[in-house]
Amino acid sequence: MNVVCLDLEGVLIPEIWINVADRTQISELRLTTRDIPDFDQLMTRRLEILDSHGIGIEDIRSVIGEMEPLEGALEFIRELRSRRSVIILSDTFTEFVEPLMAKLEWPVLFCNELLIEPDGRISGYRLRQEDGKRRAVLALQSINLTVTAAGDSYNDLSMLRTADRAALFRAPDSIMAENPDLPAFGSYRELQAFAAPHET
Amino acid sequence: MNVVCLDLEGVLIPEIWINVADRTQISELRLTTRDIPDFDQLMTRRLEILDSHGIGIEDIRSVIGEMEPLEGALEFIRELRSRRSVIILSDTFTEFVEPLMAKLEWPVLFCNELLIEPDGRISGYRLRQEDGKRRAVLALQSINLTVTAAGDSYNDLSMLRTADRAALFRAPDSIMAENPDLPAFGSYRELQAFAAPHET
């Protein structure tokens, strides 16, 4: 039995932190793993920045609520879900992406969670586990599911390399160049044909 | 992070084989595990019966296509999916239940698959794994997901006993009597409140 695991940001929705930086005009939120390679240090810094600007969960949710899925993403996932079980694997936080999940008609999502104080302050976060995307693929394979995966970033590579079938989607040139054996797609039409071929 | 695992037949849709027996007027298809306790023997017998009546996959899909989800099931799962990731764990077959999955707006489903010949004859089936419901719960727990489960039958008990939180839903009196420690619900309203409490 086949399931499809998809990365979220860059595949179905825009990059959250870049959008939040633009919409809040706090350019420091544009920090990425290129600036601070350690994910924990990066997230801790981002949450400090939000806090120092007095931005709580409701503020950031309303900013994220103004975002839309990528053009064509809803139609893509609607069709894919009618043909395969789909699980979104993401490093983002449930509380952030709920407004976008609603716009994608609530696909199943395994990601991380924020620690939120009663006054709405975001005091920290809870990582589901280290290398969570790859370990989710392994868990699905352990119950005899065949996993097809797609993602766009360096943090997707361990997931893609573990899946039974994998593709890059709208990945930067550097990732495509370093992974020439992975098929690389730019359109949802191509990704649909790859993820749910008509011959099962 | 919380996920909800639901049994399918009896929880969201009617019992498939009983309905197929009624609609095809082949009473022998009413055989259950009470008549043939071994699941493999039972399924093999059911497929023989279909075959002896010349019923192929398209015939049985059109019979199943006339069925509807249980009253209120769509509204229940729509609301639940907006609050939790939901995975349906079932012993049924993808190819049978697709028409009903469409009516439930395509929730994620882990189940079994049929072996279908080019002429549409159902020649056998492929069990994803033994004790598949329980092992799916274990796999989800292995990636630090907290599992709430609900089901109605004896074949759900190993899943329910493995989940972090579990309830019976519209279960026969015998199962409720034998499992007095499990909460038992009769309405979707109660099951919703249990599966996705507002305090997380």
Side-chain angles (χ1 to χ4, degrees):
Chain A
M1 182 166 198
N2 297 290
V3 297
V4 177
C5 292
L6 298 177
D7 175 39
L8 181 60
E9 293 176 66
V11 175
L12 297 172
I13 67 172
E15 295 293 335
I16 295 219
W17 288 101
I18 291 173
N19 264 269
V20 169
D22 288 349
R23 287 162 196 264
T24 57
Q25 301 194 307
I26 303 172
S27 59
E28 207 187 347
L29 287 176
R30 285 185 157 270
L31 288 170
T32 71
T33 45
R34 264 167 291 186
D35 308 295
I36 305 179
D38 181 85
F39 180 76
D40 182 55
Q41 285 181 23
L42 175 63
M43 274 309 309
T44 302
R45 182 70 197 123
R46 284 169 170 168
L47 296 183
E48 280 171 4
I49 297 166
L50 290 184
D51 208 34
S52 72
H53 285 81
I55 296 177
I57 184 66
E58 289 310 323
D59 307 307
I60 200 160
R61 277 169 66 99
S62 85
V63 168
I64 293 170
E66 292 166 13
M67 292 170 59
E68 294 294 328
L70 295 174
E71 191 181 336
L74 175 59
E75 295 71 19
F76 165 74
I77 197 168
R78 261 192 198 151
E79 181 179 342
L80 185 59
R81 287 178 46 202
S82 76
R83 297 166 65 197
R84 294 289 187 278
S85 282
V86 179
I87 295 176
I88 312 292
L89 301 180
S90 173
D91 291 329
T92 189
F93 303 97
T94 317
E95 296 83 355
F96 279 1
V97 290
E98 272 178 0
L100 284 160
M101 290 297 100
K103 293 177 183 177
L104 290 171
E105 299 177 351
W106 299 108
V108 166
L109 169 69
F110 297 168
C111 64
N112 300 309
E113 290 174 300
L114 294 170
L115 302 174
I116 296 171
E117 302 303 309
D119 65 357
R121 201 181 134 251
I122 304 167
S123 56
Y125 72 96
R126 194 186 295 121
L127 206 64
R128 189 167 52 74
Q129 63 186 167
E130 292 291 331
D131 204 10
K133 295 186 186 206
R134 186 180 68 89
R135 293 194 45 194
V137 171
L138 287 170
L140 295 169
Q141 290 171 328
S142 80
I143 54 171
N144 293 341
L145 296 166
T146 302
V147 178
T148 296
D152 72 325
S153 306
Y154 282 104
N155 71 349
D156 295 314
L157 286 174
S158 73
M159 163 181 84
L160 299 180
R161 291 299 177 188
T162 303
D164 300 279
R165 299 171 67 243
L168 294 167
F169 183 71
R170 298 184 185 168
D173 289 344
S174 57
I175 296 183
M176 291 193 285
E178 289 159 27
N179 297 274
D181 58 316
L182 291 179
F185 303 118
S187 75
Y188 287 125
R189 187 183 51 73
E190 293 168 302
L191 184 59
Q192 186 81 247
F194 174 80
H198 278 287
E199 67 286 7
T200 312
Chain B
M1 181 165 200
N2 297 290
V3 297
V4 177
C5 293
L6 298 178
D7 175 40
L8 181 60
E9 293 176 66
V11 175
L12 297 172
I13 68 172
E15 295 292 334
I16 294 217
W17 288 101
I18 292 174
N19 263 270
V20 169
D22 288 348
R23 287 162 197 264
T24 57
Q25 300 195 307
I26 302 171
S27 58
E28 207 187 346
L29 287 175
R30 285 183 156 270
L31 287 170
T32 71
T33 45
R34 266 167 291 186
D35 307 295
I36 305 179
D38 181 85
F39 180 76
D40 181 54
Q41 286 181 24
L42 175 63
M43 274 309 308
T44 302
R45 182 71 196 122
R46 283 169 169 166
L47 296 182
E48 280 172 3
I49 297 166
L50 290 184
D51 208 34
S52 71
H53 285 81
I55 297 177
I57 185 65
E58 289 310 323
D59 307 306
I60 199 161
R61 276 169 67 98
S62 83
V63 167
I64 292 170
E66 293 167 12
M67 291 171 59
E68 294 295 328
L70 295 174
E71 191 180 336
L74 175 59
E75 295 72 19
F76 165 74
I77 198 168
R78 261 191 198 152
E79 181 179 342
L80 185 58
R81 287 179 45 203
S82 76
R83 298 165 65 198
R84 294 289 187 278
S85 282
V86 179
I87 295 176
I88 312 291
L89 301 179
S90 173
D91 291 330
T92 190
F93 304 96
T94 316
E95 296 83 354
F96 279 1
V97 290
E98 272 177 1
L100 284 160
M101 289 299 99
K103 294 178 184 177
L104 290 171
E105 299 176 351
W106 299 107
V108 166
L109 169 69
F110 297 167
C111 64
N112 301 308
E113 290 173 300
L114 293 170
L115 303 174
I116 296 172
E117 303 304 309
D119 65 357
R121 201 181 134 250
I122 304 167
S123 56
Y125 72 95
R126 194 187 296 121
L127 207 63
R128 188 167 52 75
Q129 64 185 165
E130 292 290 331
D131 204 11
K133 295 186 187 206
R134 185 179 69 89
R135 293 194 44 195
V137 171
L138 287 170
L140 296 170
Q141 289 170 328
S142 79
I143 54 171
N144 292 341
L145 296 167
T146 302
V147 178
T148 296
D152 72 325
S153 306
Y154 282 104
N155 71 350
D156 295 315
L157 286 174
S158 73
M159 163 181 84
L160 299 181
R161 292 299 177 185
T162 303
D164 300 278
R165 299 171 66 243
L168 294 166
F169 183 71
R170 297 184 185 168
D173 290 345
S174 58
I175 296 183
M176 291 195 283
E178 289 159 27
N179 297 275
D181 59 315
L182 291 179
F185 303 119
S187 75
Y188 287 125
R189 187 183 51 74
E190 293 168 300
L191 184 59
Q192 188 81 245
F194 174 79
H198 278 287
E199 68 285 8
T200 311

